[in-house]
Amino acid sequence: MTRAFWLIAGLFVVALAIAALRLVCGPGELAWPSDWTIFELRGHRVVSAAAVGAALSLSGLLLQVMLRSPVASEYVLGLSAGAGLGIVAATFVSFRVTGQIVSYSPPLLAPVLGAGAALLVVFLLGRRGGLIDPPTLILVGIVVGILASAVTTLLQHLLPDQGMAVYTRWLMGAISSEAPWPRVWVVSGVAAVGLIVAGWLGPSMDAAMLSDDEARSVGVPLGALRVAIFALASALTGATLLISGPLAFVGLICPHLARLIVGTSHRTLAVASAFIGAAVLLAADAGVTVFTLPSGQLPVGVVTALIGGPMFVVMLRRGGLFPGGRP
Amino acid sequence: MSLRAKGVCFSYPLMRGRACRTVLQDVQFDLSSGVTAVVGPNGSGKTTLLRLLLGLLRPDTGSVTLEGSAPHAIPPERRARVLAYVPQRTDLGAAFTLGQFVSLGRYAHGGVDAGAIERALSMVGLLEQRHAPFATLSAGQQQRGAVARALAQLDPAGAAATGRRWLIADEPLSALDPANAAQMTALLRRLAAEGVSTVVVLHDLTAAVRCADRAVVLSNEGRVIADAPVLEALTPETLRTAFGIGFDRLETPAGPALVRAG
């Protein structure tokens, strides 16, 4: 067996171990669940966190490939904000039509369409002379993200207080404990399909590391590849928003951790990113569960941002993000 | 079996359909085998011409045909097996080794063929460096690496090599020292003998007269001002028209040389 296989197997075991550890974690205690209800409650969070972590990390990897930029992620490019807007907009429309707020069951497609729309705008405005221009793209992504968040807040203000309370906590980046199981399975399914498709696209993504002209000249159908990545990243990011709020830095950092561990082949990277994403979010979720504050459980997005942010800066300063030490 | 341009005009749009920058005007030639040098001043449209030949751009009017079909209309993987590109500067967005970089040339063949990669690396003299990170190589080594990638793609010495293949190279000598430049021109000659025709942009006119069979000279306005066997095309007169400065042709023991006059 190759080195890559053993590294991947190792990462899988680590993710499984952290999942088991998460089952032991309760508010302020460490004990194996004493009854089925607690087991199911924690199991719900284990599956949710693993699926969301894997999906975000894969999405980040795909976007980093599509834009050939190590600082791309669904959060930086405004996809998360777009997906959030999709959900709040769908809730708002249904409230105007039915006069009711259906708490936490936005239509399945709303966040996917929201993320897709945000990515499309970013992609179209971030091009110069027909070529992707990463700096422009990132800046456009940040602006689109801010605008989407602003419209989200605006729509929230037009909803009764009840909606405000639900969404504020959710937008801070919490993993839902109330999402119905079918939804959790939908997200897990999207993550699994995303992993398979990303693995299948691996060699094309390797060749897409060349400049556009070179990638085309070696035979990559670059337009089709970009559309596939675009759709997949939107679906992955959008799906996570069905059961979790937007989480900063998971999609940005995990692919880089994967690169440090398994190297540069994108087939291996896809699998490694998914396992690392799952492991990281499970660990962060275990953290917020054990260290419950007097005011209640901290949204896990706070932890991923507090740890991921400084980590990203350290990686950036040490030059680990850019191949060959590019600026 | 040919790579043909017929009445090709091309302009890059500058401002939303307003002013256009015309790059190539009524370019016409018919290449069949051997080494063809493309010569012309900066901004005369040499790189644009290569991108048109590769099917990366489509002409505004006129047509480009590779063995009878438009390159951009040939399915990418099929096209890549007969048409390879060495750009002026290669740009790699991942921390690949030289070997991994060259293996990208095998994309259209499905699956890695270690033999083809090793053959390609030996042809440019970089087999020893195959485990070195691409980004740590010098500009000249990266340039030879890009040629190796194109050779892995065409694999002229491979068992599956049949029919004519085309190598389109944009200034492949620009970063090479004299010894490596000489090896590269010798390689182009050798490839021509093995059924790989090359279209190569060259600024070193002496290298052009020594290694090319034929030359296409572009003017500042993007018109073909000469298209003939290399010694007839690269005369002091056409070069004066193209570059606006004088050249002398000297006969040296190693062959003709073109040097700036006065």
Side-chain angles (χ1 to χ4, degrees):
Chain A
M1 284 294 161
T2 63
R3 189 180 129 83
F5 175 86
W6 289 112
L7 287 172
I8 293 279
L11 286 173
F12 182 67
V13 171
V14 169
L16 272 187
I18 296 180
L21 184 74
R22 174 64 188 85
L23 283 174
V24 175
C25 295
E29 59 152 39
L30 287 173
W32 191 252
S34 48
D35 62 40
W36 175 251
T37 320
I38 297 178
F39 184 81
E40 199 201 339
L41 216 60
R42 292 183 189 171
H44 182 276
R45 284 282 282 266
V46 166
V47 178
S48 298
V52 168
L56 287 178
S57 178
L58 270 174
S59 176
L61 177 70
L62 289 163
L63 292 170
Q64 286 167 12
V65 169
M66 173 165 154
L67 309 177
R68 294 181 80 236
S69 168
V71 295
S73 80
E74 71 294 331
Y75 201 86
V76 176
L77 292 174
L79 266 75
S80 299
L85 175 58
I87 291 179
V88 174
T91 310
F92 181 75
V93 169
S94 81
F95 169 71
R96 299 298 295 194
V97 173
T98 65
Q100 279 185 328
I101 291 186
V102 195
S103 176
Y104 233 101
S105 52
L108 286 173
L109 270 180
V112 176
L113 292 179
L119 184 53
L120 189 66
V121 171
V122 172
F123 188 69
L124 292 179
L125 294 181
R127 292 184 342 154
R128 286 187 165 199
L131 292 174
I132 285 180
D133 181 46
T136 311
L137 205 108
I138 302 287
L139 292 175
V140 171
I142 291 168
V143 171
V144 167
I146 292 170
L147 288 178
S149 302
V151 178
T152 304
T153 308
L154 176 69
L155 289 179
Q156 279 181 301
H157 270 269
L158 299 174
L159 288 170
D161 284 351
Q162 192 190 1
M164 287 285 290
V166 172
Y167 284 117
T168 305
R169 181 174 165 72
W170 171 82
L171 284 172
M172 280 161 66
I175 295 176
S176 166
S177 290
E178 294 96 50
W181 271 105
R183 255 172 205 234
V184 176
W185 293 128
V186 165
V187 182
S188 310
V190 170
V193 171
L195 175 56
I196 292 166
V197 177
W200 178 66
L201 291 175
S204 302
M205 294 201 279
D206 286 343
M209 290 291 98
L210 295 166
S211 66
D212 286 7
D213 275 1
E214 293 175 272
R216 286 205 174 92
S217 76
V218 300
V220 181
L222 207 54
L225 178 69
R226 291 224 167 100
V227 170
I229 290 180
F230 174 87
L232 202 56
S234 304
L236 285 165
T237 302
T240 64
L241 282 251
L242 290 169
I243 59 173
S244 140
L247 302 171
F249 292 109
V250 176
L252 190 57
I253 296 248
C254 295
H256 290 300
L257 292 177
R259 276 188 201 99
L260 286 176
I261 296 171
V262 302
T264 46
S265 152
H266 283 83
R267 181 160 285 167
T268 323
L269 265 180
V271 184
S273 296
F275 290 169
I276 290 174
V280 162
L281 201 54
L282 280 165
D285 192 50
V288 295
T289 311
V290 173
F291 303 106
T292 304
L293 300 180
S295 49
Q297 206 177 81
L298 209 56
V300 71
V302 175
V303 175
T304 63
L306 283 179
I307 297 176
M311 225 170 125
F312 184 74
V313 173
V314 168
M315 290 169 98
L316 196 67
R317 299 291 306 178
R318 292 179 59 195
L321 298 184
F322 296 88
R326 272 198 292 167
Chain B
M1 297 302 236
S2 68
L3 186 57
R4 189 176 297 176
K6 207 173 157 191
V8 168
C9 296
F10 185 85
S11 12
Y12 287 108
L14 279 185
M15 300 256 233
R16 306 194 172 281
R18 284 192 166 193
C20 285
R21 188 166 73 89
T22 302
V23 181
L24 293 169
Q25 300 183 58
D26 198 26
V27 169
Q28 193 133 336
F29 51 71
D30 188 349
L31 311 176
S32 53
S33 63
V35 178
T36 304
V38 177
V39 172
N42 295 147
S44 58
K46 301 181 297 294
T47 298
T48 304
L49 179 61
L50 298 194
R51 296 180 74 209
L52 284 159
L53 295 179
L54 286 156
L56 296 168
L57 295 173
R58 298 184 204 185
D60 296 337
T61 58
S63 63
V64 173
T65 51
L66 169 68
E67 320 294 5
S69 21
H72 66 80
I74 304 172
E77 297 203 352
R78 224 181 79 205
R79 182 181 65 214
R81 289 197 285 266
V82 293
L83 186 64
Y85 180 38
V86 178
Q88 236 174 89
R89 259 194 311 272
T90 191
D91 180 18
L92 182 62
F96 287 145
T97 62
L98 173 64
Q100 285 175 307
F101 172 78
V102 172
S103 75
L104 298 179
R106 300 299 296 169
Y107 176 82
H109 300 264
V112 175
D113 178 344
I117 295 162
E118 283 187 12
R119 278 194 291 279
L121 281 166
S122 335
M123 275 194 263
V124 300
L126 283 178
L127 190 57
E128 304 278 290
Q129 281 88 345
R130 64 186 182 280
H131 298 301
F134 187 76
T136 63
L137 300 176
S138 73
Q141 289 172 323
Q142 292 192 352
Q143 202 162 34
R144 283 150 65 202
V147 172
R149 188 189 71 214
L151 293 176
Q153 188 174 337
L154 301 174
D155 197 21
T162 51
R164 178 161 304 288
R165 285 120 199 272
W166 293 86
L167 176 67
I168 312 285
D170 203 348
E171 297 189 42
L173 311 181
S174 62
L176 303 188
D177 63 53
N180 276 305
Q183 276 172 17
M184 188 60 72
T185 49
L187 178 61
L188 295 181
R189 293 301 326 155
R190 184 179 144 197
L191 289 172
E194 288 175 1
V196 177
S197 303
T198 55
V199 180
V200 52
V201 170
L202 289 174
H203 280 307
D204 180 342
L205 299 172
T206 299
V209 286
R210 289 190 186 167
C211 95
D213 298 298
R214 176 174 171 166
V216 173
V217 182
L218 292 175
S219 70
N220 248 325
E221 296 78 37
R223 290 180 187 280
V224 175
I225 51 174
D227 170 19
V230 71
L231 286 174
E232 292 166 38
L234 298 184
T235 60
E237 295 74 46
T238 47
L239 293 173
R240 173 174 286 283
T241 316
F243 296 101
I245 55 170
F247 284 88
D248 287 326
R249 185 147 95 204
L250 310 177
E251 292 304 324
T252 73
L258 282 160
V259 296
R260 262 204 72 182

